[in-house]
Amino acid sequence: MNTKEIRQLFPILHQEVNGHPLVYLDSAATSQKPVSVIEAVKHYYERDNSNVHRGVHTLGSRATDAYEGAREKLVRFLNAGSAEEVIFTRGTTSALNLVATGYARSVCREGDEIVITPMEHHSNLIPWQQAAKATGAVLKYIPLQEDGTIRLEDVEQTITERTKIVSVTYVSNVLGVVNPVKEIAAIAQRKGAKMVVDGAQSTPHLKVDVQDLDCDFYTLSGHKMCGPTGIGALYGKRALLEEMDPIEYGGEMIDHVDLYDSTWKDLPWKFEGGTPIIAGAVGLGAAIDFLESIGLDEIDRHEKRITAYALERMSDIKDLNVYGPRSDRAGLITFNLGDVHPHDVATVLDAEGIAIRAGHHCCQPLMRWLQVSATARASFYLYNTEEDVDRLIASLIKTKEYFGHAIG
Ligand code: 7TS
């Protein structure tokens, strides 16, 4: 399928915003949804809606099949060992919190270490910060190189025999860095630590195989990979999940309840207290079918092409500073245009129908490391074209002229 055909499958892209055809360059925040995902959710509510794992009636079993069927798709998509290893969550944030609360707090003792990097999204930073505070563990950071990448020598140095957990993003949502998580996982495990991978920005774009990465935990958000909001997942190695206590108690997750004690269901339901996000899971299953029908390798190739083209065009704009490495990067470009505030850049672009993100991107420590308060960011997905990039560049040139006085 070519990009023009792919675009036809995304109804939202075919509209005017502020009198201009929409150019959507904010997929790192959330991706748009193809018609097959929208239809799957609609179909579920129109035909199958019911609660899962409860009633014996037909709709109940259809809903349960749809929900568990979506889990099976995710198991295959990630190459997890079994359905027990894939827990539905609200997204990456709640998956990381589940590990930081359900696992880290029970294994970390005073003086143990949790290792992360300064490029982490707040969702992969604050849960560890709080787990460290609660347990007396020390939070340590793998240092960044000037271009924002990390070196395996530094990983080797930072992780010690006292390290219990290492948690690193696969792809940075600001720098576009693709971290060597497989190699980091090997180092972590050699030293006796568990490896957590924040897969929010990798899963939509790269072929992921959790067994090949050999990470202990992996997280993802459905809404960044063409699925609905409110659904995501935690992959965990079975033995570790067995060890962990649930963090949410209530319906759906119990086996036997007495007045003064209770027992839990088996994996994965032990971690899925309450009525789950059934329609979201169904939508995520449809998103996986969609991504597989295009092919993750093809998506990756397409994004690399668009990003290389955008970087080349941006290099012609004087005073436009791009952050992160020049090569080997993911499909997003974070930048500043001289001293123009990124919110002003995004506002001018929005007036031309171009959606980019501006702000700290939930990475305040990284902003301080970059010595900026905020940046602008254009992020690409399978539906973006070179024409989108041309529109972006033309508007950036206009913005530069408009704010000429602010540029050195
Ligand atoms: N980790 C990374 C690397 C992210 O980019 C994000 C969201 C999250 C975790 C949290 O994901 P959630 O689905 O639980 O919210 N990143 C962004 C972004 O860059 N702009 O908006 C959200």
Side-chain angles (χ1 to χ4, degrees), residues 336-337 339-351 356 358-359 375-376 395-396 399 402-403 405-406:
N336 268 318
L337 193 55
D339 293 334
V340 184
H341 195 285
H343 282 146
D344 290 335
V345 176
T347 304
V348 176
L349 264 56
D350 180 57
I356 63 161
T375 73
S395 289
L396 286 174
T399 310
Y402 184 75
F403 285 101
H405 63 280

Side-chain angles (χ1 to χ4, degrees), residues 28-29 91-94 96 121 123 169 171 173 198 200-201 221 223-224 357 361 377:
T92 294
T93 302
S94 51
L96 289 166
H121 186 279
S123 297
T169 191
V171 171
N173 64 322
D198 173 348
Q201 297 290 352
S221 293
H223 70 95
K224 293 191 200 287
R357 174 109 198 259
H361 314 286
R377 181 187 70 190

Side-chain angles (χ1 to χ4, degrees), residues 263-391:
T263 56
W264 319 134
K265 260 193 189 155
D266 292 334
L267 290 174
W269 306 294
K270 170 172 100 171
F271 294 107
E272 295 180 1
T275 299
I277 310 137
I278 310 164
V282 169
L284 179 55
I288 289 171
D289 289 342
F290 172 74
L291 292 176
E292 285 180 333
S293 75
I294 310 284
L296 267 292
D297 291 339
E298 184 47 43
I299 293 171
D300 185 34
R301 261 196 302 278
H302 173 76
E303 287 171 12
K304 287 212 167 87
R305 229 173 8 241
I306 296 285
T307 309
Y309 178 64
L311 281 171
E312 187 200 311
R313 299 266 351 244
M314 281 176 156
S315 69
D316 292 338
I317 305 178
K318 201 169 157 281
D319 298 316
L320 190 147
N321 307 311
V322 170
Y323 303 102
R326 295 297 114 167
S327 56
D328 296 328
R329 50 182 300 146
L332 60 92
I333 302 176
T334 296
F335 62 94
N336 268 318
L337 193 55
D339 293 334
V340 184
H341 195 285
H343 282 146
D344 290 335
V345 176
T347 304
V348 176
L349 264 56
D350 180 57
E352 308 224 325
I354 303 169
I356 63 161
R357 174 109 198 259
H360 55 60
H361 314 286
C362 300
C363 288
Q364 288 186 12
L366 181 60
M367 292 296 119
R368 281 191 282 279
W369 182 83
L370 290 170
Q371 300 184 323
V372 294
S373 59
T375 73
R377 181 187 70 190
S379 52
F380 309 111
Y381 207 8
L382 70 170
Y383 36 67
N384 290 118
T385 60
E386 295 194 343
E387 291 75 56
D388 289 345
V389 174
D390 292 339
R391 290 265 311 276

Side-chain angles (χ1 to χ4, degrees), residues 9-64:
L9 305 175
F10 287 82
I12 203 167
L13 297 177
H14 306 286
Q15 63 174 300
E16 293 208 337
V17 168
N18 299 321
H20 300 272
L22 169 65
V23 172
Y24 187 75
L25 299 177
D26 197 18
S27 296
T30 199
S31 70
Q32 296 304 349
K33 323 300 173 199
V35 90
S36 58
V37 169
I38 299 166
E39 283 299 324
V41 173
K42 184 167 173 273
H43 181 272
Y44 169 76
Y45 278 126
E46 283 180 353
R47 301 279 309 154
D48 301 331
N49 179 53
S50 184
N51 213 325
V52 293
H53 306 135
R54 289 170 201 241
V56 291
H57 61 72
T58 301
L59 292 193
S61 54
R62 271 200 228 147
T64 304

Side-chain angles (χ1 to χ4, degrees), residues 180-193 195 213-214:
V181 286
K182 182 173 173 177
E183 288 74 11
I184 301 172
I187 295 171
Q189 276 147 15
R190 182 156 40 76
K191 303 204 185 197
M195 178 74 187
L213 292 177
D214 200 17

Side-chain angles (χ1 to χ4, degrees), residues 231-251:
I231 186 79
L234 171 68
Y235 157 81
K237 283 187 180 163
R238 188 182 178 146
L240 294 172
L241 294 175
E242 299 275 12
E243 247 177 71
M244 272 166 67
D245 283 325
I247 62 166
E248 278 197 323
Y249 301 98

Side-chain angles (χ1 to χ4, degrees), residues 87-102 123 127-128 196-197 217-221 232-235 244 247:
I87 294 150
F88 280 125
T89 65
R90 262 195 318 112
T92 294
T93 302
S94 51
L96 289 166
N97 274 280
L98 174 52
V99 184
T101 306
S123 297
W128 306 116
V196 185
V197 176
F217 297 101
Y218 185 95
T219 66
L220 61 92
S221 293
L234 171 68
Y235 157 81
M244 272 166 67
I247 62 166

